[in-house]
Short mmCIF file of all heavy atoms in Angstrom, two decimals:
data_model
loop_
_atom_site.label_atom_id
_atom_site.label_comp_id
_atom_site.label_asym_id
_atom_site.label_seq_id
_atom_site.Cartn_x
_atom_site.Cartn_y
_atom_site.Cartn_z
N ALA A 1 -21.21 14.45 2.74
CA ALA A 1 -19.93 14.33 2.12
C ALA A 1 -20.03 14.05 0.66
O ALA A 1 -21.00 13.39 0.23
CB ALA A 1 -19.07 13.25 2.81
N GLN A 2 -19.10 14.47 -0.11
CA GLN A 2 -19.09 14.21 -1.55
C GLN A 2 -18.78 12.77 -1.84
O GLN A 2 -18.09 12.10 -1.06
CB GLN A 2 -18.08 15.11 -2.26
CG GLN A 2 -18.64 16.50 -2.52
CD GLN A 2 -17.59 17.41 -3.18
OE1 GLN A 2 -16.66 17.85 -2.47
NE2 GLN A 2 -17.62 17.59 -4.46
N ALA A 3 -19.23 12.31 -2.99
CA ALA A 3 -18.98 10.88 -3.35
C ALA A 3 -17.49 10.65 -3.60
O ALA A 3 -16.78 11.53 -4.04
CB ALA A 3 -19.70 10.55 -4.61
N MET A 4 -17.04 9.45 -3.17
CA MET A 4 -15.58 9.07 -3.42
C MET A 4 -15.49 8.35 -4.72
O MET A 4 -16.37 7.68 -5.26
CB MET A 4 -15.22 8.19 -2.29
CG MET A 4 -15.20 8.74 -0.90
SD MET A 4 -14.00 10.02 -0.68
CE MET A 4 -12.50 9.08 -0.85
N VAL A 5 -14.34 8.58 -5.36
CA VAL A 5 -14.03 7.88 -6.50
C VAL A 5 -13.84 6.29 -6.10
O VAL A 5 -13.13 6.14 -5.09
CB VAL A 5 -12.67 8.32 -7.14
CG1 VAL A 5 -12.13 7.40 -8.22
CG2 VAL A 5 -12.85 9.75 -7.64
N ALA A 6 -14.46 5.41 -6.89
CA ALA A 6 -14.22 4.03 -6.59
C ALA A 6 -13.11 3.51 -7.48
O ALA A 6 -12.92 3.96 -8.59
CB ALA A 6 -15.48 3.21 -6.94
N GLU A 7 -12.33 2.56 -6.93
CA GLU A 7 -11.15 2.03 -7.70
C GLU A 7 -11.72 1.41 -9.00
O GLU A 7 -10.96 1.26 -9.96
CB GLU A 7 -10.46 0.97 -6.82
CG GLU A 7 -9.73 1.57 -5.73
CD GLU A 7 -9.01 0.58 -4.75
OE1 GLU A 7 -9.09 -0.65 -5.10
OE2 GLU A 7 -8.49 0.95 -3.78
N THR A 8 -12.95 1.00 -9.00
CA THR A 8 -13.52 0.36 -10.16
C THR A 8 -14.13 1.24 -11.18
O THR A 8 -14.58 0.89 -12.22
CB THR A 8 -14.67 -0.65 -9.67
OG1 THR A 8 -15.53 0.08 -8.83
CG2 THR A 8 -14.04 -1.86 -8.92
N ASP A 9 -14.18 2.56 -10.85
CA ASP A 9 -14.71 3.57 -11.85
C ASP A 9 -13.77 3.39 -13.04
O ASP A 9 -12.54 3.29 -12.91
CB ASP A 9 -14.61 4.96 -11.32
CG ASP A 9 -15.66 5.33 -10.32
OD1 ASP A 9 -16.66 4.50 -10.08
OD2 ASP A 9 -15.61 6.44 -9.70
N PRO A 10 -14.29 3.48 -14.28
CA PRO A 10 -13.46 3.23 -15.45
C PRO A 10 -12.25 4.12 -15.51
O PRO A 10 -11.15 3.61 -15.80
CB PRO A 10 -14.48 3.52 -16.59
CG PRO A 10 -15.84 3.21 -16.04
CD PRO A 10 -15.76 3.55 -14.60
N GLN A 11 -12.42 5.39 -15.23
CA GLN A 11 -11.22 6.31 -15.27
C GLN A 11 -10.22 5.96 -14.22
O GLN A 11 -9.05 5.96 -14.40
CB GLN A 11 -11.69 7.72 -15.21
CG GLN A 11 -10.56 8.70 -15.45
CD GLN A 11 -10.99 10.10 -15.25
OE1 GLN A 11 -12.12 10.46 -15.00
NE2 GLN A 11 -10.01 11.08 -15.41
N ALA A 12 -10.74 5.65 -13.03
CA ALA A 12 -9.86 5.28 -11.93
C ALA A 12 -9.09 4.01 -12.25
O ALA A 12 -7.87 3.95 -12.07
CB ALA A 12 -10.66 5.08 -10.62
N ALA A 13 -9.78 3.06 -12.77
CA ALA A 13 -9.13 1.75 -13.14
C ALA A 13 -8.09 1.99 -14.19
O ALA A 13 -6.98 1.42 -14.10
CB ALA A 13 -10.23 0.77 -13.58
N ALA A 14 -8.40 2.86 -15.20
CA ALA A 14 -7.44 3.11 -16.23
C ALA A 14 -6.17 3.73 -15.74
O ALA A 14 -5.05 3.55 -16.26
CB ALA A 14 -8.12 4.06 -17.30
N LEU A 15 -6.32 4.54 -14.68
CA LEU A 15 -5.14 5.21 -14.09
C LEU A 15 -4.51 4.45 -12.97
O LEU A 15 -3.53 4.87 -12.35
CB LEU A 15 -5.60 6.60 -13.58
CG LEU A 15 -5.93 7.64 -14.60
CD1 LEU A 15 -6.62 8.86 -13.88
CD2 LEU A 15 -4.72 8.09 -15.34
N GLY A 16 -5.04 3.26 -12.69
CA GLY A 16 -4.52 2.44 -11.65
C GLY A 16 -4.71 3.03 -10.21
O GLY A 16 -3.94 2.78 -9.32
N TYR A 17 -5.76 3.79 -10.05
CA TYR A 17 -6.07 4.43 -8.75
C TYR A 17 -6.34 3.46 -7.64
O TYR A 17 -7.06 2.49 -7.89
CB TYR A 17 -7.28 5.39 -8.92
CG TYR A 17 -7.79 5.92 -7.63
CD1 TYR A 17 -7.11 6.96 -6.95
CD2 TYR A 17 -8.87 5.42 -6.94
CE1 TYR A 17 -7.52 7.45 -5.74
CE2 TYR A 17 -9.39 5.83 -5.75
CZ TYR A 17 -8.68 6.90 -5.12
OH TYR A 17 -9.07 7.36 -3.95
N LYS A 18 -5.70 3.67 -6.57
CA LYS A 18 -5.93 2.87 -5.36
C LYS A 18 -6.17 3.86 -4.17
O LYS A 18 -5.50 4.85 -4.08
CB LYS A 18 -4.70 2.01 -4.94
CG LYS A 18 -4.41 0.88 -5.97
CD LYS A 18 -5.43 -0.21 -5.89
CE LYS A 18 -5.10 -1.37 -6.83
NZ LYS A 18 -6.21 -2.37 -6.86
N ALA A 19 -7.17 3.51 -3.38
CA ALA A 19 -7.59 4.38 -2.29
C ALA A 19 -6.48 4.30 -1.17
O ALA A 19 -6.41 5.21 -0.33
CB ALA A 19 -8.90 4.00 -1.74
N VAL A 20 -5.69 3.27 -1.19
CA VAL A 20 -4.56 3.10 -0.23
C VAL A 20 -3.29 2.93 -1.06
O VAL A 20 -3.07 1.89 -1.65
CB VAL A 20 -4.82 1.89 0.73
CG1 VAL A 20 -3.65 1.78 1.68
CG2 VAL A 20 -6.11 2.10 1.51
N ALA A 21 -2.47 3.97 -1.08
CA ALA A 21 -1.34 4.01 -2.03
C ALA A 21 -0.44 2.83 -1.86
O ALA A 21 0.05 2.28 -2.90
CB ALA A 21 -0.57 5.33 -1.83
N ILE A 22 -0.26 2.33 -0.66
CA ILE A 22 0.72 1.25 -0.41
C ILE A 22 0.25 -0.04 -1.07
O ILE A 22 0.98 -1.02 -1.11
CB ILE A 22 1.06 1.08 1.11
CG1 ILE A 22 -0.19 0.78 1.86
CG2 ILE A 22 1.82 2.22 1.61
CD1 ILE A 22 0.09 0.43 3.33
N THR A 23 -1.04 -0.08 -1.53
CA THR A 23 -1.50 -1.32 -2.16
C THR A 23 -1.33 -1.26 -3.73
O THR A 23 -1.74 -2.18 -4.35
CB THR A 23 -3.02 -1.57 -1.91
OG1 THR A 23 -3.83 -0.48 -2.53
CG2 THR A 23 -3.28 -1.57 -0.41
N VAL A 24 -0.66 -0.21 -4.21
CA VAL A 24 -0.42 -0.14 -5.66
C VAL A 24 0.33 -1.29 -6.11
O VAL A 24 1.23 -1.84 -5.48
CB VAL A 24 0.37 1.20 -5.96
CG1 VAL A 24 0.97 1.13 -7.37
CG2 VAL A 24 -0.51 2.41 -5.80
N ASP A 25 -0.06 -1.82 -7.32
CA ASP A 25 0.61 -2.97 -7.91
C ASP A 25 1.94 -2.48 -8.54
O ASP A 25 1.92 -1.90 -9.58
CB ASP A 25 -0.25 -3.62 -8.98
CG ASP A 25 0.34 -4.76 -9.67
OD1 ASP A 25 1.51 -5.07 -9.53
OD2 ASP A 25 -0.41 -5.44 -10.35
N LYS A 26 3.01 -2.69 -7.82
CA LYS A 26 4.28 -2.09 -8.29
C LYS A 26 4.82 -2.83 -9.51
O LYS A 26 5.66 -2.29 -10.31
CB LYS A 26 5.34 -2.19 -7.20
CG LYS A 26 5.09 -1.28 -5.97
CD LYS A 26 6.23 -1.25 -5.06
CE LYS A 26 5.86 -0.65 -3.79
NZ LYS A 26 6.95 -0.69 -2.76
N ALA A 27 4.33 -4.01 -9.81
CA ALA A 27 4.76 -4.63 -11.07
C ALA A 27 4.13 -3.94 -12.23
O ALA A 27 4.77 -3.75 -13.27
CB ALA A 27 4.28 -6.11 -11.02
N LYS A 28 2.88 -3.43 -12.11
CA LYS A 28 2.22 -2.72 -13.11
C LYS A 28 2.60 -1.23 -13.15
O LYS A 28 2.69 -0.63 -14.21
CB LYS A 28 0.70 -2.82 -12.93
CG LYS A 28 0.07 -3.99 -13.64
CD LYS A 28 -1.41 -4.11 -13.34
CE LYS A 28 -2.26 -3.29 -14.31
NZ LYS A 28 -3.72 -3.61 -13.97
N PHE A 29 2.93 -0.69 -12.01
CA PHE A 29 3.16 0.77 -11.94
C PHE A 29 4.54 0.93 -11.22
O PHE A 29 4.65 1.35 -10.08
CB PHE A 29 2.05 1.42 -11.10
CG PHE A 29 0.76 1.34 -11.79
CD1 PHE A 29 -0.25 0.39 -11.31
CD2 PHE A 29 0.47 2.14 -12.93
CE1 PHE A 29 -1.44 0.27 -12.04
CE2 PHE A 29 -0.77 2.00 -13.56
CZ PHE A 29 -1.73 1.02 -13.12
N ALA A 30 5.61 0.69 -12.01
CA ALA A 30 6.94 0.73 -11.52
C ALA A 30 7.33 2.16 -11.08
O ALA A 30 8.28 2.31 -10.33
CB ALA A 30 7.92 0.18 -12.57
N LYS A 31 6.61 3.15 -11.57
CA LYS A 31 6.90 4.48 -11.21
C LYS A 31 6.49 4.87 -9.76
O LYS A 31 6.98 5.85 -9.25
CB LYS A 31 6.27 5.58 -12.17
CG LYS A 31 4.72 5.52 -12.13
CD LYS A 31 4.08 6.58 -13.04
CE LYS A 31 4.24 7.96 -12.44
NZ LYS A 31 3.35 8.98 -13.06
N TYR A 32 5.64 4.04 -9.20
CA TYR A 32 5.17 4.35 -7.82
C TYR A 32 6.40 4.30 -6.89
O TYR A 32 7.18 3.37 -6.93
CB TYR A 32 4.19 3.41 -7.35
CG TYR A 32 3.84 3.51 -5.88
CD1 TYR A 32 3.17 4.59 -5.41
CD2 TYR A 32 4.31 2.53 -5.01
CE1 TYR A 32 2.88 4.73 -4.03
CE2 TYR A 32 4.08 2.59 -3.64
CZ TYR A 32 3.40 3.72 -3.13
OH TYR A 32 3.15 3.87 -1.77
N VAL A 33 6.51 5.33 -6.01
CA VAL A 33 7.58 5.42 -5.01
C VAL A 33 6.90 5.57 -3.65
O VAL A 33 5.97 6.36 -3.52
CB VAL A 33 8.51 6.57 -5.28
CG1 VAL A 33 9.54 6.71 -4.19
CG2 VAL A 33 9.14 6.54 -6.60
N ALA A 34 7.26 4.73 -2.73
CA ALA A 34 6.69 4.80 -1.44
C ALA A 34 6.72 6.20 -0.87
O ALA A 34 7.67 6.92 -1.01
CB ALA A 34 7.48 3.84 -0.44
N GLY A 35 5.59 6.61 -0.27
CA GLY A 35 5.47 7.99 0.25
C GLY A 35 4.69 8.94 -0.73
O GLY A 35 4.16 9.92 -0.28
N GLN A 36 4.62 8.49 -1.97
CA GLN A 36 3.69 9.29 -2.87
C GLN A 36 2.22 8.99 -2.51
O GLN A 36 1.90 7.79 -2.37
CB GLN A 36 3.93 8.86 -4.29
CG GLN A 36 5.34 9.19 -4.83
CD GLN A 36 5.50 8.75 -6.32
OE1 GLN A 36 4.75 7.94 -6.81
NE2 GLN A 36 6.59 9.28 -6.88
N GLU A 37 1.41 9.96 -2.37
CA GLU A 37 0.00 9.78 -2.14
C GLU A 37 -0.69 11.08 -2.54
O GLU A 37 -0.13 12.20 -2.69
CB GLU A 37 -0.27 9.41 -0.75
CG GLU A 37 0.29 10.42 0.31
CD GLU A 37 0.21 9.94 1.73
OE1 GLU A 37 0.44 8.75 1.98
OE2 GLU A 37 -0.22 10.70 2.63
N CYS A 38 -2.02 10.94 -2.75
CA CYS A 38 -2.78 12.07 -3.27
C CYS A 38 -2.54 13.41 -2.50
O CYS A 38 -2.46 14.44 -3.11
CB CYS A 38 -4.30 11.72 -3.22
SG CYS A 38 -4.76 10.43 -4.41
N ASP A 39 -2.44 13.35 -1.20
CA ASP A 39 -2.29 14.60 -0.47
C ASP A 39 -0.94 15.24 -0.64
O ASP A 39 -0.72 16.39 -0.07
CB ASP A 39 -2.77 14.50 0.94
CG ASP A 39 -1.95 13.55 1.88
OD1 ASP A 39 -0.94 13.07 1.38
OD2 ASP A 39 -2.33 13.41 2.98
N ASN A 40 0.02 14.64 -1.34
CA ASN A 40 1.24 15.41 -1.70
C ASN A 40 1.42 15.42 -3.20
O ASN A 40 2.55 15.62 -3.71
CB ASN A 40 2.41 14.88 -1.00
CG ASN A 40 2.78 13.42 -1.23
OD1 ASN A 40 2.60 12.86 -2.31
ND2 ASN A 40 3.19 12.74 -0.13
N CYS A 41 0.29 15.26 -3.91
CA CYS A 41 0.24 15.34 -5.42
C CYS A 41 -0.19 16.78 -5.81
O CYS A 41 -1.07 17.33 -5.23
CB CYS A 41 -0.75 14.28 -5.92
SG CYS A 41 -1.06 14.44 -7.70
N ALA A 42 0.36 17.23 -6.92
CA ALA A 42 0.06 18.60 -7.36
C ALA A 42 -1.48 18.78 -7.77
O ALA A 42 -1.96 19.81 -7.87
CB ALA A 42 0.98 18.98 -8.51
N LEU A 43 -2.03 17.69 -8.11
CA LEU A 43 -3.44 17.69 -8.63
C LEU A 43 -4.42 17.67 -7.51
O LEU A 43 -5.68 17.75 -7.74
CB LEU A 43 -3.71 16.64 -9.68
CG LEU A 43 -3.15 16.82 -11.03
CD1 LEU A 43 -1.58 16.68 -10.99
CD2 LEU A 43 -3.67 15.83 -12.04
N TYR A 44 -4.00 17.44 -6.23
CA TYR A 44 -4.88 17.26 -5.18
C TYR A 44 -5.38 18.64 -4.63
O TYR A 44 -4.62 19.61 -4.56
CB TYR A 44 -4.17 16.55 -4.04
CG TYR A 44 -5.03 16.16 -2.84
CD1 TYR A 44 -5.95 15.11 -2.94
CD2 TYR A 44 -4.89 16.85 -1.63
CE1 TYR A 44 -6.64 14.66 -1.85
CE2 TYR A 44 -5.64 16.48 -0.49
CZ TYR A 44 -6.52 15.40 -0.61
OH TYR A 44 -7.28 15.03 0.47
N GLN A 45 -6.64 18.70 -4.25
CA GLN A 45 -7.24 19.94 -3.76
C GLN A 45 -7.84 19.60 -2.40
O GLN A 45 -8.88 19.08 -2.28
CB GLN A 45 -8.37 20.40 -4.71
CG GLN A 45 -7.87 20.81 -6.09
CD GLN A 45 -8.81 20.38 -7.23
OE1 GLN A 45 -9.94 20.13 -6.98
NE2 GLN A 45 -8.37 20.44 -8.48
N ALA A 46 -7.09 20.00 -1.38
CA ALA A 46 -7.53 19.81 0.01
C ALA A 46 -8.77 20.61 0.23
O ALA A 46 -8.88 21.76 -0.18
CB ALA A 46 -6.41 20.14 0.96
N LYS A 47 -9.79 20.07 0.89
CA LYS A 47 -11.00 20.72 1.11
C LYS A 47 -11.38 20.60 2.60
O LYS A 47 -12.57 20.29 2.90
CB LYS A 47 -12.14 20.21 0.18
CG LYS A 47 -11.96 20.68 -1.20
CD LYS A 47 -13.01 20.12 -2.16
CE LYS A 47 -12.77 20.68 -3.60
NZ LYS A 47 -13.42 19.77 -4.62
N GLY A 48 -10.50 20.83 3.46
CA GLY A 48 -10.84 20.83 4.91
C GLY A 48 -11.03 19.50 5.49
O GLY A 48 -11.55 19.38 6.63
N SER A 49 -10.74 18.39 4.74
CA SER A 49 -10.89 17.11 5.28
C SER A 49 -9.43 16.48 5.27
O SER A 49 -8.70 16.62 4.35
CB SER A 49 -11.80 16.20 4.46
OG SER A 49 -11.58 14.81 4.75
N ALA A 50 -9.12 15.73 6.39
CA ALA A 50 -7.77 15.08 6.42
C ALA A 50 -7.78 13.84 5.61
O ALA A 50 -6.68 13.31 5.35
CB ALA A 50 -7.40 14.82 7.85
N THR A 51 -8.92 13.29 5.27
CA THR A 51 -8.98 11.91 4.72
C THR A 51 -9.29 11.95 3.19
O THR A 51 -9.08 10.89 2.55
CB THR A 51 -9.98 11.07 5.40
OG1 THR A 51 -11.29 11.73 5.34
CG2 THR A 51 -9.57 10.80 6.83
N ALA A 52 -9.84 13.07 2.60
CA ALA A 52 -10.24 13.02 1.23
C ALA A 52 -10.20 14.48 0.75
O ALA A 52 -10.28 15.46 1.46
CB ALA A 52 -11.61 12.46 1.04
N GLY A 53 -10.08 14.53 -0.54
CA GLY A 53 -10.08 15.87 -1.22
C GLY A 53 -10.36 15.75 -2.66
O GLY A 53 -10.46 14.60 -3.23
N GLY A 54 -10.37 16.83 -3.39
CA GLY A 54 -10.66 16.85 -4.85
C GLY A 54 -9.42 16.52 -5.57
O GLY A 54 -8.28 16.52 -5.10
N CYS A 55 -9.59 16.03 -6.90
CA CYS A 55 -8.51 15.82 -7.76
C CYS A 55 -8.96 16.34 -9.12
O CYS A 55 -10.09 16.05 -9.56
CB CYS A 55 -8.19 14.34 -7.91
SG CYS A 55 -7.11 14.04 -9.24
N SER A 56 -8.17 17.16 -9.75
CA SER A 56 -8.64 17.78 -11.01
C SER A 56 -8.91 16.77 -12.11
O SER A 56 -9.56 17.11 -13.06
CB SER A 56 -7.59 18.81 -11.45
OG SER A 56 -6.33 18.41 -11.36
N LEU A 57 -8.46 15.51 -11.93
CA LEU A 57 -8.82 14.53 -12.95
C LEU A 57 -10.14 13.86 -12.70
O LEU A 57 -10.69 13.21 -13.61
CB LEU A 57 -7.72 13.40 -12.90
CG LEU A 57 -6.37 13.77 -13.22
CD1 LEU A 57 -5.48 12.54 -13.21
CD2 LEU A 57 -6.29 14.41 -14.67
N PHE A 58 -10.74 14.05 -11.52
CA PHE A 58 -11.96 13.28 -11.20
C PHE A 58 -13.17 14.13 -10.93
O PHE A 58 -14.11 13.66 -10.31
CB PHE A 58 -11.66 12.34 -10.00
CG PHE A 58 -10.79 11.20 -10.37
CD1 PHE A 58 -9.41 11.18 -9.97
CD2 PHE A 58 -11.24 10.10 -11.08
CE1 PHE A 58 -8.59 10.10 -10.31
CE2 PHE A 58 -10.38 9.04 -11.45
CZ PHE A 58 -9.06 9.08 -11.04
N GLY A 59 -13.19 15.36 -11.46
CA GLY A 59 -14.41 16.13 -11.36
C GLY A 59 -14.89 16.36 -9.94
O GLY A 59 -14.10 16.71 -9.05
N THR A 60 -16.15 16.09 -9.69
CA THR A 60 -16.79 16.32 -8.41
C THR A 60 -16.47 15.23 -7.35
O THR A 60 -16.75 15.44 -6.19
CB THR A 60 -18.29 16.58 -8.52
OG1 THR A 60 -18.86 15.42 -9.05
CG2 THR A 60 -18.56 17.80 -9.43
N LYS A 61 -16.10 14.06 -7.82
CA LYS A 61 -15.83 13.05 -6.90
C LYS A 61 -14.49 13.24 -6.09
O LYS A 61 -13.59 13.91 -6.64
CB LYS A 61 -15.79 11.65 -7.53
CG LYS A 61 -17.17 11.21 -7.98
CD LYS A 61 -17.15 9.79 -8.43
CE LYS A 61 -18.54 9.36 -8.90
NZ LYS A 61 -18.55 8.01 -9.48
N GLN A 62 -14.39 12.71 -4.92
CA GLN A 62 -13.18 12.93 -4.12
C GLN A 62 -12.33 11.67 -4.12
O GLN A 62 -12.78 10.56 -4.22
CB GLN A 62 -13.60 13.27 -2.68
CG GLN A 62 -14.32 14.61 -2.58
CD GLN A 62 -14.24 15.24 -1.25
OE1 GLN A 62 -14.43 14.57 -0.20
NE2 GLN A 62 -13.91 16.46 -1.18
N VAL A 63 -11.06 11.96 -3.99
CA VAL A 63 -10.07 10.82 -3.82
C VAL A 63 -9.57 10.79 -2.43
O VAL A 63 -9.68 11.76 -1.67
CB VAL A 63 -8.87 11.04 -4.80
CG1 VAL A 63 -9.37 11.00 -6.29
CG2 VAL A 63 -8.10 12.33 -4.53
N ALA A 64 -9.06 9.63 -2.01
CA ALA A 64 -8.53 9.42 -0.65
C ALA A 64 -7.25 10.11 -0.50
O ALA A 64 -6.36 10.11 -1.38
CB ALA A 64 -8.37 7.92 -0.37
N ALA A 65 -7.02 10.82 0.60
CA ALA A 65 -5.81 11.52 0.85
C ALA A 65 -4.57 10.56 0.79
O ALA A 65 -3.54 10.97 0.33
CB ALA A 65 -5.86 12.19 2.26
N LYS A 66 -4.81 9.33 1.15
CA LYS A 66 -3.70 8.32 1.13
C LYS A 66 -3.76 7.50 -0.12
O LYS A 66 -3.09 6.44 -0.23
CB LYS A 66 -3.87 7.42 2.34
CG LYS A 66 -3.77 8.19 3.70
CD LYS A 66 -2.46 8.86 3.91
CE LYS A 66 -2.37 9.65 5.20
NZ LYS A 66 -1.22 10.58 5.18
N GLY A 67 -4.49 7.97 -1.10
CA GLY A 67 -4.60 7.23 -2.43
C GLY A 67 -3.43 7.54 -3.36
O GLY A 67 -2.42 8.30 -3.02
N TRP A 68 -3.53 6.95 -4.57
CA TRP A 68 -2.46 7.18 -5.57
C TRP A 68 -3.07 6.77 -6.85
O TRP A 68 -3.88 5.84 -6.95
CB TRP A 68 -1.25 6.32 -5.25
CG TRP A 68 -0.03 6.52 -6.15
CD1 TRP A 68 0.94 7.45 -5.97
CD2 TRP A 68 0.27 5.87 -7.42
NE1 TRP A 68 1.92 7.36 -6.97
CE2 TRP A 68 1.50 6.36 -7.87
CE3 TRP A 68 -0.32 4.85 -8.08
CZ2 TRP A 68 2.10 5.96 -9.06
CZ3 TRP A 68 0.28 4.36 -9.27
CH2 TRP A 68 1.48 4.95 -9.78
N CYS A 69 -2.58 7.39 -7.90
CA CYS A 69 -2.84 6.95 -9.27
C CYS A 69 -1.61 7.26 -10.16
O CYS A 69 -0.71 7.95 -9.76
CB CYS A 69 -4.11 7.54 -9.90
SG CYS A 69 -3.86 9.07 -10.80
N SER A 70 -1.60 6.69 -11.36
CA SER A 70 -0.37 6.77 -12.22
C SER A 70 -0.19 8.16 -12.81
O SER A 70 0.83 8.41 -13.37
CB SER A 70 -0.45 5.75 -13.31
OG SER A 70 -1.62 5.95 -14.08
N ALA A 71 -1.15 9.08 -12.53
CA ALA A 71 -0.96 10.46 -12.95
C ALA A 71 -0.32 11.26 -11.86
O ALA A 71 -0.21 12.50 -12.02
CB ALA A 71 -2.30 11.09 -13.36
N TYR A 72 0.09 10.64 -10.78
CA TYR A 72 0.71 11.35 -9.71
C TYR A 72 1.78 12.34 -10.19
O TYR A 72 2.66 11.92 -11.01
CB TYR A 72 1.35 10.35 -8.68
CG TYR A 72 2.05 11.07 -7.58
CD1 TYR A 72 1.36 11.44 -6.40
CD2 TYR A 72 3.44 11.29 -7.65
CE1 TYR A 72 2.08 12.08 -5.37
CE2 TYR A 72 4.08 11.91 -6.62
CZ TYR A 72 3.42 12.33 -5.47
OH TYR A 72 4.10 12.97 -4.44
N ALA A 73 1.77 13.54 -9.61
CA ALA A 73 2.82 14.53 -9.90
C ALA A 73 3.16 15.19 -8.60
O ALA A 73 2.35 15.68 -7.92
CB ALA A 73 2.34 15.58 -10.91
N LYS A 74 4.42 15.07 -8.22
CA LYS A 74 4.86 15.64 -6.94
C LYS A 74 4.50 17.10 -6.83
O LYS A 74 4.77 17.86 -7.73
CB LYS A 74 6.37 15.36 -6.72
CG LYS A 74 6.84 15.74 -5.36
CD LYS A 74 8.26 15.29 -5.20
CE LYS A 74 8.90 15.80 -3.92
NZ LYS A 74 8.14 15.44 -2.68
N LYS A 75 3.94 17.49 -5.68
CA LYS A 75 3.60 18.86 -5.42
C LYS A 75 4.90 19.64 -5.32
O LYS A 75 5.82 19.20 -4.62
CB LYS A 75 2.85 19.02 -4.16
CG LYS A 75 2.06 20.25 -3.98
CD LYS A 75 1.36 20.41 -2.62
CE LYS A 75 0.17 19.51 -2.46
NZ LYS A 75 -0.55 19.70 -1.21
N ALA A 76 4.94 20.79 -5.92
CA ALA A 76 6.21 21.57 -6.01
C ALA A 76 6.46 22.18 -4.54
O ALA A 76 5.52 22.46 -3.86
CB ALA A 76 6.09 22.69 -7.00
FE1 LIG B 1 -4.33 11.20 -6.47
FE2 LIG B 1 -2.78 12.82 -7.87
FE3 LIG B 1 -3.86 10.63 -9.02
FE4 LIG B 1 -5.40 12.70 -8.41
S1 LIG B 1 -3.70 12.69 -9.88
S2 LIG B 1 -5.81 10.57 -8.04
S3 LIG B 1 -4.43 13.50 -6.56
S4 LIG B 1 -2.35 10.75 -7.35
#
């Protein structure tokens, strides 16, 4: 399996990435709306796994399907 993005990776931390979207700090990220998660984000690239996939912001590392970051953009 490909490496996962860690919440502590500098870019992930800068974007407020959480592997479990419901743990997002809503005080810091007021834009977060319940139900938003990587697998319904326009930047997510599903790769045959229900639990993780690519994100165009994170290169070859994978993000959690149930994750979230402040660059979230609703899939059209
Ligand atoms: Fe997840 Fe979208 Fe953020 Fe990528 S841009 S980490 S898919 S919420």
